[in-house]
Every structure is written in C-alpha cells, then in structure tokens.
C-alpha cells in the first residue's frame, strides 16, 4: 500500500498559505547563509594549509655532501615593510643536474633572476635604487609560476649564483637568534622541504581558531531554521495525531518538509559560494590574496556541507515534535510549558571545573587542546542557556510592575528554549568579542624604526664596513648616522652581533634606498631592518588581528541575522496569541515592548557571562604563548558588545511591521 506521507506533506505545505510560505522562505534563507559560511570557513582552513605547502620548497632540506647537487641559501629582505623572500641557488660543478624548483621551468643558471608577478610589478614601479639594485642586473626577469607561490601577491625571487658567490657561502647561512626560519643555507639535491615559510606556517592554525569560535553561531543559525514555524507545525501535526496519524507518520512528514526546505537552502548557499569564488579570492589574508583554485573545497566537501546543513535542520525540526508524539492533546491546548531541569546547571559547572583543571596548572597547551576546550565550553554554554532563561523568566515575572515586562517574563518561562535561540547568537558572539579583545599577541622589546644594519664577521670588519657604508649612503643620497655595534651591545638592532647600524632619516623610501645601497657589504647577507628582526612575532600578531576582526564581524552579523530570523518566525508562530491579546485590549506598542524585553533581559545576563568567559579564555591563550594580554582592548570590547546589541535590537525591531500585519483585524486572526 502506498504511503500517504509524501502526498499529505505536499498537500499541507501547499495549503499552509502565505504564513507557511514565509516560514519556509526564511528557513531556506537561513540554510543558505549557514551553508555558505561553513563552506567559506572550510575553504579558508584548507586553503591556508595549501598555501603553506607551496612555501616548503624554499626551506633547504639538507642532504649529505656526497649526495648534494646544489647549494640553496634562502633569506628575506624588506621593501615598503613587505617581506621579499630570496632563494639563492648554485649548481655544484661535476654533479648531476638539480631538478627545477616549483614554479620554474628549469634550475636557474648563474646570473638568472626569476621573480613572482607581484615582485615584477614592484620592480618596474620602484626606482632601481630602492629595490632592483639588490639583485643581479639582468636584461629581463623570469617568472615564477603559481606552483612556487603561496599567493599571487607574494614577493619572491629566485637568483642563480656561482658556487663561490658570497650569497651562498657558509657565512651567508650563519644564524643568529633572529634568523630562524628567515635565513637558512644547506647543501641540497632537490626541493622536498617540509617546513613552511614563517609568513604562512601559522596561517592555518589561526584560521582554525576563528573557525572554532565562529562555527557555533553558524550552527545556531542553521538549527534555528529547522524551528521556524514550529508552533504552527505543532498545532497542525497535533490535530493529525488526534485524528489517528501514527507517531512515525508525524515524524516522517516533519522530516520530509524540513529536509526539502533545508536542502534547497543549503544548495543555494553552495551555489553562491561557487559563484563568488573569484571575488572571495580577492580578500587578502597574510601574504595576500588567493589563487581561486586553492579556495575550492572540492565536490566531496561541498556535498558534505549541503548534507550536514540539511540534516541539522531536519533533526532540529524533528526534535521539536516530542510533545506532539507523546501528548498531542496538550500541544493542541498549549497546556505544557517547556520547563528545564537543574541537571543543565550541574553539567555546566562540571565542564567549567574540567576546563579550569586543564588550564590553571600553567602548562603549555597545544593548539588542538585549546580548540577542544573552546568547543567544549561552547557546548556547555549552549546547554546552560535555556535553564538560565527559564529562571530569569520566573524571577522577572514575580517582580514585574509593567504589562510589557510581565508578558516578556511569561514568554521566557513558558518557552525558554525559544527565547534562548533568539539571543544565543549574540551571547556566543560575546565570547568571541571577549576572547579576541585581549588576545592580541605581541612581543616586548626595543624598536629600532628607520635603522638598517649590516652583519660583519668581527669587530675589525665592522670598522672597515662602517667607512664603506658612509660612502655608499652618501652616493645614494641618504642621510644617516652610521655606528659600529659590538657583541656586547644587546640593545642594538643586531642584538649583540658585530656589525654596523645606520639610523636613516627621510622616511620609508630612504630606508629602502639605504638597504639597497648597503647590499654589497657584509658577508653575503642582505642588510636587515626592524621588520626582519621582529618578523616571527609580528606575523603571528598580524594573523591573529586579521582573524579576530573577521570573526567578530561575521559573529555579530550571524547573530543579528539569527535574532531577526527567529523574531520574525516567533511573530508568525504566535499569531493566535497576539490576536487574542489584541482582542483583550492590549495595545500594539505593549506587545512590541514585550518582544524587545524578552530579548534584552536574557541578553544582558548571558552576554555578560560569556564575555567574561571570553576574556578568561584569552588570558589562558596568552599564558600558554608566554605573552601578556592586550589591555588596550577594553575599548574595542565595549564597542563590539554595544554594536552587536544594537544590531540585534534593530533586527528584532525590523519585524514590527510583521507584528502589525498579523494582528490587523484581530477578530479574524485570533480564531
């Protein structure tokens, strides 16, 4: 016998009218946004890892001398505060030919210079004295292909050298404490390195941190889509249950309807992600924009996200029907307030104690452990939220002295889960704001802006180099004060290394000119600047700042969208209740104030709690990294929370016209 589930589901969906259509469109829109954001987060995470993999060839992978075929010396110089990675290569005589580096058609011969497209543009833009003079003079530059680059905006050069050139000598590869991952030399037989560049190695871990903090608000938005029209659906299905429909049929009808709406929305989000890939690739992160193909997650991930969002919406819708299955009469009479249990509080406290035990001993936390604890905290707070809302509703209800406050309190205590879903996005976004407002990592120490330094072999060489440096700078038109540093001068730019420092006047252009002018000096090393010395710390700081800004913006946008979506759905679901209140003489303004207070009351308490927890989490992160918190982030925190709250209230206020519409003509709508 043919099952009546599909025909009946289709009939009810068609006959649900404009109210049902509005709910379905809202649900599909939420699913589309959730699918799009999830794909975007996966793309950023996978793409950051792929970009790092395309820089590993630049780190020399040392082999025994008898197996070596070439010498590789990778170093870094700066122009306009931007790093330029320079890979010096020399073929060893009498050895077999070395394979071509990634992005090159062949191993570079002596005197050949290959540059990335972005560096080629910069070489033509800047005067030779600011940049081109740092490389051998050639008639034309070769081009490094995408296989050897992390980003189309990356500045990279590959220079062919003679085996005896100073740029590939042992002196050029001697390291000080600030050279780690910036200057390395080794005998190589190919380009199979595994260590990513310092400018890309931390990108994926930082993105994952943002993903963990953002994924819960996105899940909240998607799950809210499954609950749109829940009250209308409960009433309709309760009537069918009383008319003889089986629990299995009720669940099947709900699952089919929710899955169809969720799949349509999730697929639309996936198509939007695919169509917007070229535009998304232009968004800079770290070393620059993206190659479009590296942001493509692939069909398996695309299908997995569509299925996951569809399943989330379906499960969210089905879980709302427990009362319909077990007590359809109670649902039909709306006689069963949805209370919460004390076990939620006990489990939350247990999770907090577990997190405290794992972070208070002062031990170093791995990135994976930290991300796991953050995810655990999110889950715990999601479980606690409805319990707090329930208690707030009871407390406020006993002390309410205004009709709007009393109505809000009754709604909080009658449906704490629904009220929690409205504010949960911003509550969890408050944790993100609290976390990132004080988690900007940075290094402490003297800064030497405008200084250019040249490393020498010893103090005697430093004195001779100082005289040459004065001559070269004067010929280049650079005004600078040149001084000799010793191995006892730990506060200089060289930090206790013999060499020469020049304090340049005239701004960044003159500093770049000084670096180019002093390139022939030293032991085959490029002159260094403050950017070189602080590169590892500044890179991490910049990545965390970028991810924090993106995460904060997206968190609050998702929270506002979730709140507005839920508020609109609540108006549709409570149409009968609002109509009866209007028949009883309740002014529309009172109903609207009750809706606002229904949001403000739990938001004030819960968002304050999560923000404090976010600050605590950031403190633990900084402790694990061995740095201090960013105390200047207090103003940023206040601004973020204020703007987020205003955005949420604006989103909720946007459904006021809908409230006016559904309560117009109360005699007809309040049946």
């Amino acid at each position: 016998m043919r099952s009546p589930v599909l025909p009946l589901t289709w009939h009810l969906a068609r006959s649900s009218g404009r109210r049902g259509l509005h709910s379905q469109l809202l649900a599909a829109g939420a699913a589309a946004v959730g699918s799009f954001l999830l794909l975007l987060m996966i793309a950023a995470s996978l793409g950051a890892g792929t970009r790092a993999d395309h820089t590993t060839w630049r780190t020399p992978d040392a082999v025994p001398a008898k197996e070596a075929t070439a010498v590789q010396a990778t170093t870094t110089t700066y122009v306009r505060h931007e790093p330029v990675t320079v890979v010096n290569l020399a073929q060893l005589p009498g050895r077999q030919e070395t394979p071509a580096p990634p992005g090159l058609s062949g191993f570079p011969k002596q005197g050949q210079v290959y540059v990335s497209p972005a560096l080629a543009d910069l070489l033509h833009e800047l005067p030779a004295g600011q940049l081109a003079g740092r490389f051998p003079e050639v008639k034309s530059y070769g081009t490094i292909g995408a296989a050897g680059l992390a980003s189309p905006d990356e500045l990279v050069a590959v220079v062919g050298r003679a085996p005896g050139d100073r740029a590939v000598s042992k002196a050029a590869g001697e390291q000080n404490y600030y050279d780690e991952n910036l200057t390395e030399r080794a005998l190589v037989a190919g380009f199979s390195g595994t260590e990513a560049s310092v400018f890309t190695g931390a990108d994926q871990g930082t993105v994952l941190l943002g993903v963990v903090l953002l994924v819960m608000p996105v899940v909240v938005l998607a799950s809210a889509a499954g609950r749109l029209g829940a009250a209308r659906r409960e009433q309709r299905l309760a009537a069918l249950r009383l008319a003889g429909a089986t629990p299995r049929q009720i669940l099947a009808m709900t699952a089919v309807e929710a899955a169809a709406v969720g799949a349509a929305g999730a697929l639309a989000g996936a198509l939007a992600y695919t169509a917007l890939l070229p535009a998304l690739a232009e968004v800079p992160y770290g070393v620059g924009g993206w190659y479009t193909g590296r942001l493509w997650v692939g069909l398996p991930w695309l299908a997995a996200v569509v299925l996951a969002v569809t399943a989330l919406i379906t499960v969210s819708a089905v879980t709302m029907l427990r009362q319909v299955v077990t007590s359809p009469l109670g649902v039909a009479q709306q006689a069963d307030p949805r209370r919460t249990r004390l076990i939620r509080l006990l489990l939350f406290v247990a999770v907090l104690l577990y997190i405290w035990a794992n972070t208070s001993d002062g031990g170093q936390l791995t990135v994976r452990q930290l991300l796991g604890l953050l995810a655990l905290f999110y889950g715990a707070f999601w479980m606690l939220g409805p319990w707090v809302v329930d208690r707030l509703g009871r407390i406020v209800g006993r002390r309410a002295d205004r009709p709007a406050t009393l109505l809000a309190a009754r709604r909080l205590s009658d449906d704490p889960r629904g009220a929690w879903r409205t504010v949960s996005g911003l509550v969890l976004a408050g944790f993100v704001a609290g976390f990132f407002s004080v988690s900007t990592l940075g290094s402490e120490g003297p800064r030497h802006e405008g200084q250019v330094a040249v490393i020498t072999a010893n103090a005697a060489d430093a004195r001779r180099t100082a005289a040459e440096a004065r001559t070269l700078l004067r010929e280049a038109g650079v005004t600078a004060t040149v001084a000799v540093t010793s191995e006892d001068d730990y506060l200089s730019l060289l930090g206790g290394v013999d060499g020469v420092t020049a304090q340049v006047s005239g701004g960044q252009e003159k500093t770049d000119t000084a670096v180019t002018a002093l390139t022939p000096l030293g032991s085959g090393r490029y002159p260094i600047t403050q950017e070189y010395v602080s590169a590892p710390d500044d890179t991490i700081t910049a990545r965390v700042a970028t991810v924090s800004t993106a995460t904060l913006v997206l968190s609050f946008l998702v929270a506002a969208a979730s709140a507005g979506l839920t508020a609109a759905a609540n108006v549709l679901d409570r149409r009968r209740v609002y109509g009866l209140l209007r028949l009883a003489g309740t002014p529309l303004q009172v109903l609207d104030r009750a809706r606002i207070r229904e949001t403000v009351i739990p938001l004030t308490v819960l968002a304050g709690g999560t923000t404090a927890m976010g600050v605590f989490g950031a403190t633990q992160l900084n402790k694990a990294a061995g740095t201090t918190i960013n105390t200047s982030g207090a103003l940023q925190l206040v601004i973020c929370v204020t703007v987020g709250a205003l955005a949420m209230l604006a989103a909720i206020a946007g459904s006021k016209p809908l409230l006016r519409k559904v309560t117009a003509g109360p005699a007809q709508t309040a049946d």
Side-chain angles (χ1 to χ4, degrees):
M1 181 178 178
R2 184 180 177 185
S3 173
V5 170
L6 291 179
L8 187 56
T9 302
W10 174 244
H11 172 74
L12 292 176
R14 285 191 306 167
S15 61
S16 59
R18 296 175 61 183
R19 259 199 312 153
L21 179 61
H22 290 162
S23 296
Q24 291 164 357
L25 290 177
L26 288 173
V33 173
S35 174
F36 176 82
L37 290 177
L38 286 175
L39 286 170
L40 182 60
M41 290 188 288
I42 294 172
S45 178
L46 296 179
T50 302
R51 296 209 306 183
D53 292 340
H54 280 76
T55 65
T56 56
W57 67 272
R58 304 170 200 167
T59 303
D61 189 12
V63 299
K66 62 181 181 180
E67 300 177 9
T69 61
V71 182
Q72 179 180 353
T74 299
T75 188
T76 307
T77 185
Y78 276 80
V79 61
R80 289 183 173 180
H81 302 292
E82 295 295 326
V84 181
T85 301
V86 182
V87 182
N88 296 293
L89 296 171
Q91 176 71 38
L92 293 176
R95 304 294 177 90
Q96 67 180 22
E97 188 175 350
T98 307
L104 275 68
S105 57
F107 191 88
K109 298 178 181 179
Q110 179 181 346
Q112 288 184 325
V113 180
Y114 292 82
V115 297
S116 62
L119 181 56
D121 293 340
L122 199 58
L123 286 167
H124 287 95
E125 177 185 346
L126 297 178
Q130 291 185 25
L131 180 57
R134 306 180 196 184
F135 308 111
E137 186 176 352
V138 294
K139 292 183 179 180
S140 63
Y141 297 101
T143 302
I144 303 175
L149 300 173
S151 162
D153 300 323
E154 197 178 19
L155 306 178
V156 182
V158 178
V159 183
R161 303 281 187 179
D165 197 300
R166 291 192 306 169
V168 293
S169 65
K170 291 184 178 180
E174 292 180 356
Q175 287 193 342
N176 298 292
Y177 69 93
Y178 47 73
D179 289 324
E180 185 177 1
N181 297 324
L182 291 173
T183 294
E184 295 190 44
R185 174 197 179 273
L187 297 174
V188 299
F191 303 94
S192 57
T194 58
E195 185 175 358
S197 162
V198 68
F199 304 109
T200 60
D203 287 2
Q204 189 174 39
T206 313
V207 169
L208 285 174
L209 179 61
V211 168
V212 169
L213 293 173
L214 185 60
V215 70
M216 187 57 72
V218 174
V219 169
V220 168
L221 176 63
S223 62
R227 292 177 167 87
L228 290 175
R232 175 186 56 84
R233 186 186 299 123
E234 282 186 343
Q235 291 293 317
R236 184 182 64 190
L237 296 179
L240 289 175
R241 181 78 174 90
L242 290 172
T246 65
R248 179 177 297 181
Q249 290 173 332
I250 293 296
L251 295 176
M253 291 173 60
T254 302
V256 168
E257 180 182 355
V261 173
L267 186 59
L271 293 176
Y273 155 77
T274 304
L276 292 175
L277 268 180
L280 295 173
E282 297 297 325
V283 178
Y285 174 63
V287 292
W290 306 73
Y291 288 106
T292 303
R294 295 177 190 173
L295 280 180
W296 171 243
V297 298
L299 290 178
W301 273 110
L302 200 74
V305 168
V306 171
L307 290 175
V309 172
T310 303
L312 178 62
I313 291 175
T314 304
V315 171
S316 177
V318 170
T319 54
M320 295 292 293
L321 299 180
R322 183 181 60 182
Q323 292 298 322
V324 176
V325 173
T326 59
S327 180
L329 185 59
V331 171
Q333 295 177 343
Q334 296 183 339
D336 187 14
R338 305 175 183 209
R339 300 299 185 190
T340 56
R341 299 180 179 179
L342 185 62
I343 187 63
R344 292 173 177 266
L345 176 62
L346 299 179
L347 290 176
F348 178 75
V349 172
V351 171
L352 285 189
L353 292 176
Y354 176 78
I355 295 175
W356 178 266
N358 282 272
T359 57
S360 62
D361 58 0
Q364 293 283 328
L365 292 175
T366 65
V367 174
R368 182 173 297 180
Q369 290 173 327
L370 182 62
L371 295 179
L373 291 178
L374 288 174
L376 184 62
F377 169 79
Y378 260 173
F381 217 98
W382 178 257
M383 178 178 56
L384 176 70
W387 184 87
V388 176
V389 172
D390 191 358
R391 268 57 189 177
L392 283 174
R394 299 183 190 185
I395 294 172
V396 173
R398 287 194 291 266
R399 292 174 169 78
D401 56 357
R402 295 179 180 273
T405 305
L406 180 60
L407 286 173
R410 285 300 306 270
R411 291 304 310 169
L412 292 177
S413 59
D414 285 348
D415 188 12
R417 295 177 183 85
W420 162 247
R421 287 193 296 272
T422 303
V423 301
S424 58
L426 186 59
V427 168
L428 297 177
F431 177 80
V432 177
F435 183 86
F436 277 126
S437 64
V438 296
S439 66
T440 301
L441 307 180
S443 60
E444 298 179 357
R447 304 286 294 186
H448 304 279
E449 304 299 340
Q451 274 194 19
V452 179
V454 177
I455 299 174
T456 60
N458 49 54
D461 284 347
R463 288 189 291 272
R464 289 193 299 270
T465 301
E468 297 176 10
R470 294 186 181 96
T471 301
L472 292 173
L473 291 173
R474 184 170 58 254
E475 293 175 351
V478 176
T479 302
T481 302
V482 180
V484 176
T485 64
S486 69
E487 59 183 10
D488 297 324
D489 187 4
Y490 291 100
L491 295 180
S492 71
L493 179 61
L494 292 177
V497 177
D498 288 322
V500 173
T501 59
Q503 183 65 53
V504 179
S505 303
Q508 186 58 40
E509 291 185 1
K510 292 297 183 180
T511 300
D512 292 337
T513 302
V515 172
T516 304
L518 298 179
T519 294
L521 303 181
S523 54
R525 298 275 304 269
Y526 282 108
I528 65 175
T529 58
Q530 178 63 52
E531 291 90 352
Y532 181 93
V533 172
S534 57
D537 292 324
D538 288 349
T539 299
I540 293 293
T541 301
R543 300 300 181 271
V544 171
T546 301
V547 171
S548 65
T549 301
T551 305
L552 284 174
V553 171
L554 288 176
S555 293
F556 285 118
L557 287 177
V558 171
S562 180
L565 185 70
T566 307
N570 285 340
V571 170
L572 295 175
D573 284 347
R574 299 173 188 171
R575 182 175 182 172
R576 180 173 181 273
V577 175
Y578 286 138
L580 291 173
L581 288 171
R582 288 297 305 277
L583 283 174
T586 307
L588 181 65
Q589 195 67 25
V590 172
L591 296 179
D592 192 52
R593 288 174 183 170
R595 290 193 318 123
I596 300 297
R597 294 177 189 182
E598 185 181 337
T599 301
V600 172
I601 293 171
L603 185 63
T604 303
V605 176
L606 290 169
T610 52
T611 302
M613 290 292 183
V615 173
F616 172 76
T619 304
Q620 299 305 308
L621 173 64
N622 284 276
K623 183 188 298 183
T627 59
T628 57
I629 66 171
N630 174 24
T631 54
S632 63
L635 179 60
Q636 177 188 0
L637 176 60
V638 173
I639 293 175
C640 286
V641 173
T642 302
V643 171
L646 291 176
M648 172 167 281
L649 293 176
I652 295 174
S655 59
K656 184 177 180 179
L658 182 61
L659 175 65
R660 182 182 297 110
K661 183 177 181 179
V662 300
T663 56
Q668 286 76 33
T669 62
D671 49 1

